[in-house]
Amino acid sequence: SRPGDQFWTEFNMAAGSFARNYREMRKANTIGADKYFHCKANFEAASYGPGGVFFANHFSNLREIWDQHLKGYPRLDSFRDQESNKWGRYQVGEALNSCKACDKYRPEGLSDKY
């Protein structure tokens, strides 16, 4: 394998985690679940390695810039999203899995399948 192949593999796996968590968030359709799924996506992405951490950091920042400046979301909402993003990334190695890592963001009423 060529130098950097592992990075791009991790990067692509992280993108998949973000896409899957977004679909699950939409399917769950539970008020207050966005921070939980932000956290989960970041935990999963960062757990893949440096390429996943890179993707999670940059994509999370771009998403918040998009939400705040183009969608007009309040600054406080973006700040709280970023808190959950960082929490997810920092829980890698601390928590057993993304669900446990992000339990503090789990809203009441969210299905146990998530």
Side-chain angles (χ1 to χ4, degrees):
S1 82
R2 297 172 309 176
D5 284 353
Q6 183 65 30
F7 177 91
W8 292 110
T9 298
E10 296 164 0
F11 184 95
N12 289 326
M13 291 168 62
S17 287
F18 269 70
R20 184 180 58 260
N21 275 284
Y22 179 76
R23 285 190 308 272
E24 288 179 351
M25 179 184 72
R26 302 288 292 176
K27 188 175 176 184
N29 195 26
T30 303
I31 294 172
D34 63 324
K35 308 295 183 272
Y36 176 75
F37 286 103
H38 280 251
C39 180
K40 279 187 70 205
N42 276 270
F43 178 94
E44 291 170 11
S47 71
Y48 295 130
V53 171
F54 181 88
F55 181 90
N57 277 318
H58 289 81
F59 189 80
S60 293
N61 289 336
L62 287 171
R63 182 179 55 213
E64 294 312 320
I65 290 167
W66 177 272
D67 286 353
Q68 198 174 103
H69 297 287
L70 296 171
K71 288 184 169 179
Y73 287 10
R75 176 170 280 174
L76 183 58
D77 189 56
S78 285
F79 176 76
R80 288 187 176 142
D81 282 349
Q82 286 288 41
E83 281 182 329
S84 64
N85 295 337
K86 289 176 188 172
W87 180 260
R89 292 192 298 268
Y90 296 147
Q91 288 301 300
V92 173
E94 302 293 322
L96 294 174
N97 58 50
S98 62
C99 295
K100 292 197 184 312
C102 302
D103 194 50
K104 75 183 215 167
Y105 294 106
R106 176 182 276 284
E108 282 191 38
L110 181 63
S111 170
D112 288 343
K113 74 179 184 176
Y114 303 111

